[in-house]
């Protein structure tokens, strides 16, 4: 043990160095970040900056690499000279954290991400006068609580749709049409270990929606406004479901592979996944559950730190231009935001099937939104916040 | 210029040593220890309610949540349990193989075995994990073989154990092989000549000499399993420390940082024990 004296002295030096580093860094950090948005909207759209970095839901920014026939990014690049770099966001949480890096110009944010982004100043208000196609957007999508503040729009509506219930038709007979297929124990027993669910805290709302239909005593009026009892009931339901889950999915490719190789046979899905699986001749089909469904309503938002705002405005106008909006809506399987898009869909009934004007069921969907402590009714500030939802979700998975 | 630089270093051994080590030590302190420090600092932060953005105010809430909520204890125990099981499994598999490689095989066979053990390391980790996902899937080859005889392939923790034990096996074989290589054959002959039973030779000669190598290998298998989050999430729905940290990294970075401190503490304890057991004496 002769040589020990000097190594231990080095160790102490290293520890001292780290401490100095922590102190320096901690102090430095405390003052560096003001996180504020400029809060200013653009007044004119000038020449494009030649580049555009987007965060998209899978299926929103197709450049022909998934299917050569599905491509609205390349024509945009040709028209505007803005080279588009696409980053796929798998969950709203991922999109929010990606946006906060400040490296992206815009995002196709769902309602559960938009409020977080607006409140934190990550996105700028949008001057809708600079987006000519905005005037044709369905009125039901304008000035909504999830995309505007005090009448000021914070983005351009893109489209909306429901979370669906998918079945493998070879195994699940008859096809699942009710949420009981994934929440009722007797039903779950039939496909034990092959049930799937969306791996995000926001999925708690699906359980709440089922409770709304099956346990009226709980008095749930909105699946995103849950007080203690209602929240715990939803968590308990999900814990039961957990025993029958084969795997959760958040990456859409993971669900595709699970349905392809038989690991999952029933569970929540998006139309785009259904589309891709059917295109691959897999025996699957997806429906809006009869209890109703949660859904998404997406908004293109512009980063407050955008380096390429002109390209982003060009993109926002492009993506909701009638023809492109129709292409995206058909590919992703959602209702387009632009009313004129309905004239361009290859299936003339697309807008009716997807209820684009919201007259049949779209206005009754419970769109993803960020749960807040304010219940939005006379219960006051007793509702579970998104923090609680995140913790609850970890407990569900155990 | 070159001449003056050479002149500057000439006859100044301390300066020479300093210039030589500045790069690696700087990297270690800033890049490695620095990021650990950032992690520690961040673990005391919290999130704002509506913004869900990180607020740089110091509080112990994250650690309180970790201690108060049973689910995190369950996850930690599950992770440590699997890591320990994987380590033991790998040690049991590696010992006979490494012994054969080091003491029995000669020439070509030996070379081929070393290549065979190292071969899996040439392909990407992700390729191997996805291969296992396919093997273990419902319609996969394993069930194709097992279903006719009324069995089905492992899932959940068992699947994680299997995949982790496979992926980290080379990291156990190599140190044990190196450890056995260092034992002179003459020691084994001497033991035999003195009339020791082969089992006694293993127990009294080989085992004490190879034990530090096993502990060294176990550091790899244990720590790598402890921190894995990709493989475990692809073959199982169960949560492990790595998957929870990864999930919270997007929703609640300070909490992710706090939970990431747990495996660090576990590894420090593990390394202290390993040091006690002599793992670092012949490195």
């Amino acid at each position: 043990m002769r040589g020990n004296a000097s190594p231990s002295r080095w160790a102490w030096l290293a520890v001292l160095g780290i401490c100095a580093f922590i102190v320096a860094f901690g102090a430095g950090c405390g003052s560096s970040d003001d996180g504020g948005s400029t809060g200013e909207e653009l007044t004119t759209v000038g020449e494009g900056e030649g580049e555009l970095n987007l965060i998209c839901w899978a299926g929103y920014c197709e450049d022909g690499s998934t299917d050569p026939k599905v491509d609205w990014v390349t024509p945009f690049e040709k028209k505007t000279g803005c080279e588009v770099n696409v980053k796929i966001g798998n969950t709203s949480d991922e999109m929010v954290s990606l946006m906060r890096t400040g490296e992206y110009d815009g995002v196709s944010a769902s309602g559960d991400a938009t409020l977080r982004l607006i409140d934190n100043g990550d996105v700028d208000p949008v001057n809708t006068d600079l987006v000519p196609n905005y005037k044709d957007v369905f009125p039901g999508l304008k000035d909504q609580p999830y995309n505007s503040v005090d009448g000021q729009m914070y983005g351009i509506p893109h489209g909306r749709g429901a979370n669906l219930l998918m079945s493998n038709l070879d195994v699940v007979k008859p096809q699942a049409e009710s949420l009981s297929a994934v929440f009722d124990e007797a039903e779950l027993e039939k496909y034990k270990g092959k049930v799937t669910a969306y791996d995000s805290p926001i999925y708690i709302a699906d359980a709440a929606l089922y409770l709304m239909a099956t346990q009226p005593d709980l008095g749930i009026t909105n699946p995103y406004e849950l007080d203690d009892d209602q929240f715990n009931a939803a968590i308990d339901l999900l814990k039961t479901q957990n025993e029958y889950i084969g795997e959760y999915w958040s990456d859409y490719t993971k669900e595709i592979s699970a349905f392809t190789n038989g690991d999952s046979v029933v569970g929540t899905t998006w139309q785009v996944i259904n589309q891709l699986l059917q295109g691959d001749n897999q025996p699957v089909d997806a429906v809006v559950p009869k209890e109703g469904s949660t859904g998404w309503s997406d908004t293109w938002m512009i980063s407050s730190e955008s380096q390429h705002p002109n390209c982003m405005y060009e993109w926002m106008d492009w993506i909701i231009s009638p023809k492109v909006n129709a292409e995206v809506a058909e590919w992703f399987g959602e209702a387009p935001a632009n009313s004129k898009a309905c004239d361009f869909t290859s299936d003339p009934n697309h807008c009716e099937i997807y209820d684009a004007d919201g007259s049949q069921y779209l206005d009754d969907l419970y769109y993803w939104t960020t749960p807040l402590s304010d219940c939005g009714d006379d219960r006051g500030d007793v509702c579970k916040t998104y923090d609680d939802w995140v913790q609850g979700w970890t407990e569900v998975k155990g | 210029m070159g001449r003056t630089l050479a002149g500057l270093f000439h006859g100044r051994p301390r300066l020479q040593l300093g210039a030589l080590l500045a790069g690696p030590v700087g990297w270690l302190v800033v890049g490695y220890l620095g990021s650990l420090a950032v992690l520690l600092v961040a673990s005391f932060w919290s999130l704002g309610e509506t913004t869900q953005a990180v607020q740089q105010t110091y509080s112990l809430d994250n650690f309180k949540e970790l201690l108060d909520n049973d689910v995190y204890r369950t996850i930690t125990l599950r992770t440590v349990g699997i890591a320990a099981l994987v380590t033991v499994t790998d040690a049991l598999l590696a010992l006979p193989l490494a012994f054969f490689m080091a003491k029995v095989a000669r020439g070509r066979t030996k070379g081929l075995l070393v290549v065979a053990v190292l071969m899996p390391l040439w392909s990407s980790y992700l390729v191997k994990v996805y291969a296992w996902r396919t093997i273990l899937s419902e319609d996969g080859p394993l069930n194709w073989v097992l279903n006719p005889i009324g069995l089905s392939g492992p899932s959940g923790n068992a699947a994680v154990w299997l995949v982790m034990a496979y992926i980290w096996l080379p990291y156990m074989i190599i140190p044990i092989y190196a450890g056995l290589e260092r034992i002179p054959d003459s020691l084994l002959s001497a033991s035999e000549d003195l009339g020791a039973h082969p089992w006694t030779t293993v127990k009294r000669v080989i085992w004490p000499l190879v034990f530090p190598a096993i502990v060294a290998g176990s550091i790899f298998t244990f720590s790598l399993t402890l921190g894995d989050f990709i493989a475990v999430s692809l073959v199982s729905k169960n949560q492990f420390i790595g998957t929870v940290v990864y999930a919270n990294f997007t929703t609640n970075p300070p909490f992710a940082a706090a939970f990431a401190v747990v495996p660090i503490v576990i590894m420090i304890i593990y390394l202290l024990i390993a040091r006690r057991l002599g793992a670092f004496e012949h490195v």
Side-chain angles (χ1 to χ4, degrees):
Chain A
M1 291 285 157
R2 252 176 311 135
N4 251 12
S6 104
S8 79
R9 211 171 58 205
W10 277 107
W12 281 113
L13 257 171
V15 169
L16 219 73
I18 300 168
C19 292
F21 194 89
I22 294 179
V23 170
F25 188 85
C29 273
S31 56
S32 66
D33 189 2
D34 59 5
S37 128
T38 54
E40 277 170 28
E41 48 180 46
L42 224 59
T43 48
T44 49
V45 176
E47 185 77 8
E49 295 88 348
E51 199 184 342
L52 181 63
N53 301 314
L54 296 175
I55 305 166
C56 308
W57 286 109
Y60 274 14
C61 303
E62 292 295 323
D63 58 2
S65 55
T66 314
D67 181 337
K69 293 192 291 278
V70 182
D71 184 358
W72 46 86
V73 168
T74 317
F76 172 77
E77 289 175 333
K78 281 200 188 116
K79 179 174 168 252
T80 63
C82 301
E83 190 81 27
V84 180
N85 303 310
V86 173
K87 169 82 186 162
I88 301 289
N90 285 310
T91 62
S92 289
D93 299 327
E94 202 177 311
M95 288 183 160
V96 170
S97 70
L98 284 171
M99 271 304 270
R100 287 186 179 153
T101 62
E103 288 165 20
Y104 298 89
D105 299 301
V107 60
S108 59
S110 296
D112 56 333
T114 49
L115 286 184
R116 283 184 256 167
L117 292 170
I118 296 172
D119 278 352
N120 199 44
D122 300 314
V123 291
D124 270 346
V126 169
N127 184 348
T128 53
D129 295 341
L130 300 179
V131 183
N133 283 310
Y134 180 74
K135 64 179 187 306
D136 299 321
V137 168
F138 285 109
L141 286 163
K142 292 181 177 174
D143 295 321
Q144 293 298 307
Y146 52 78
N147 59 20
S148 66
V149 173
D150 301 332
Q152 168 65 58
M153 285 299 284
Y154 270 78
I156 299 296
H158 166 100
R160 51 184 174 166
N163 291 315
L164 305 175
L165 183 62
M166 185 155 73
S167 314
N168 179 331
L169 301 176
D170 282 353
V171 182
V172 182
K173 295 174 182 169
Q175 182 184 358
E177 286 175 346
S178 157
L179 283 177
S180 61
V182 290
F183 287 121
D184 183 82
E185 279 209 82
E187 297 271 331
L188 283 166
E189 195 63 50
K190 290 193 254 174
Y191 310 110
K192 185 164 187 165
K194 296 184 182 182
V195 180
T196 190
Y198 187 52
D199 191 1
S200 162
I202 208 73
Y203 184 70
I204 294 171
D206 286 55
L209 189 74
Y210 178 70
L211 290 174
M212 221 162 120
T214 53
Q215 294 189 34
D217 311 352
L218 285 167
I220 298 175
T221 50
N222 180 324
Y224 303 98
E225 294 165 357
L226 304 175
D227 58 34
D228 264 339
D229 289 345
Q230 298 166 344
F231 184 76
N232 291 338
I235 294 293
D236 286 343
L237 185 62
L238 288 164
K239 279 182 179 166
T240 311
Q241 186 200 43
N242 176 264
E243 293 163 28
Y244 299 91
I245 295 274
E247 68 177 17
Y248 293 94
W249 66 275
S250 59
D251 184 335
Y252 76 111
T253 54
K254 194 177 164 191
E255 184 174 48
I256 290 175
S257 93
F259 265 86
T260 306
N261 60 30
D263 283 339
S264 299
V265 299
V266 64
T268 186
T269 195
W270 299 330
Q271 180 63 24
V272 65
I273 295 172
N274 187 35
Q275 202 96 336
L276 287 167
L277 281 167
Q278 286 180 343
D280 199 25
N281 292 320
Q282 296 295 326
V284 298
D285 193 30
V287 293
V288 179
K290 70 175 178 17
E291 290 86 355
S293 186
T294 55
W296 74 90
S297 183
D298 293 344
T299 309
W300 283 101
M301 306 184 103
I302 179 167
S303 167
S304 51
E305 292 169 53
S306 171
Q307 302 294 311
H308 317 98
N310 293 328
C311 276
M312 188 60 206
Y313 267 84
E314 298 253 32
W315 172 260
M316 290 194 286
D317 192 45
W318 171 261
I319 197 72
I320 64 157
S321 61
K323 206 168 153 294
V324 175
N325 203 213
E327 280 183 68
V328 183
E330 284 205 289
W331 170 252
F332 192 83
E334 64 183 347
N338 189 328
S339 53
K340 289 192 173 156
C342 298
D343 303 333
F344 290 89
T345 51
S346 59
D347 175 357
N349 295 324
H350 181 89
C351 279
E352 203 173 313
I353 296 168
Y354 284 95
D355 188 30
D357 63 1
S359 57
Q360 302 161 48
Y361 65 87
L362 265 196
D363 283 350
D364 300 329
L365 286 182
Y366 290 96
Y367 292 104
W368 283 351
T369 184
T370 307
L372 303 173
S373 62
D374 179 5
C375 297
D377 52 32
D378 50 18
R379 283 175 296 174
D381 283 345
V382 297
C383 278
K384 293 292 188 180
T385 65
Y386 194 65
D387 257 357
D388 302 319
W389 283 49
V390 173
Q391 300 290 2
W393 187 240
T394 309
E395 279 172 46
V396 164
K397 298 207 293 171
Chain B
M1 180 64 199
R3 189 177 284 257
T4 40
L5 205 60
L8 182 69
F9 282 111
H10 181 74
R12 294 189 172 95
R14 274 170 183 274
L15 198 61
Q16 285 171 14
L17 190 69
L20 191 69
L21 292 181
V25 170
W27 163 251
L28 192 72
V29 170
V30 176
Y32 187 74
L33 297 178
S35 56
L36 279 180
V38 174
L39 184 91
L40 272 175
V41 172
S43 67
F44 293 101
W45 291 342
S46 55
L47 289 185
E49 193 207 306
T50 47
T51 60
Q52 292 289 312
V54 176
Q55 288 179 331
Q56 289 158 354
T57 47
Y58 291 83
S59 83
L60 286 170
D61 290 355
N62 291 326
F63 291 98
K64 228 172 126 268
E65 175 71 27
L66 272 180
L67 290 176
D68 288 352
N69 199 328
D70 286 347
V71 76
Y72 300 112
R73 204 168 315 141
T74 315
I75 291 167
T76 305
L77 288 177
R78 178 186 297 140
T79 311
V80 172
I82 294 272
L85 208 60
V86 166
T87 302
V88 171
T89 311
D90 279 348
L92 289 177
L93 290 174
L95 260 177
L97 184 61
F99 185 78
F100 184 82
M101 282 164 65
K103 294 292 168 217
V104 182
R106 291 277 172 260
R108 246 179 113 80
T109 327
K110 188 173 191 156
L112 279 175
L113 277 172
V114 173
V115 170
V117 167
L118 292 177
M119 189 91 90
L121 298 180
W122 296 355
S123 73
S124 154
Y125 162 88
L126 276 179
V127 172
K128 286 181 278 184
V129 173
Y130 267 94
W132 272 104
R133 184 174 156 83
T134 311
I135 292 171
L136 295 173
S137 76
E138 194 56 33
D139 297 346
L142 196 64
N143 278 330
W144 182 73
V145 173
L146 291 178
N147 283 345
I149 52 171
L151 296 171
S152 65
S155 62
N157 289 342
V160 172
W161 164 71
L162 189 66
V163 173
M164 292 282 100
Y166 162 78
I167 289 187
W168 308 133
L169 184 58
Y171 295 88
M172 183 62 101
I173 295 178
I174 298 303
I176 297 184
Y177 167 70
L180 284 167
E181 277 278 88
R182 270 203 300 265
I183 303 177
D185 288 346
S186 55
L187 282 185
L188 306 187
S189 306
S191 174
E192 202 182 349
D193 292 347
L194 291 169
H197 189 266
W199 184 237
T200 316
T201 310
V202 168
K203 216 167 59 179
R204 305 279 300 272
V205 181
I206 299 177
W207 179 255
L209 288 171
V210 82
F211 186 69
I214 298 176
V215 177
S218 81
I219 294 170
F220 290 117
T221 55
F222 188 81
S223 71
L224 289 170
T225 313
L226 202 63
D228 196 277
F229 68 96
I230 300 173
V232 296
S233 70
L234 281 170
V235 298
S236 145
K237 66 166 179 172
N238 291 344
Q239 297 186 107
F240 293 85
I241 294 178
T243 56
V244 174
V245 170
Y246 180 67
N248 277 279
F249 174 70
T250 48
T251 50
N252 190 344
F255 184 77
F259 204 12
V261 170
V262 172
I264 294 176
V265 171
I266 294 173
M267 271 327 287
I268 289 174
I269 296 170
Y270 195 94
L271 290 174
L272 287 177
I273 296 173
R275 203 182 94 130
R276 253 294 146 79
L277 295 174
F280 306 120
E281 273 165 22
H282 307 285
V283 183

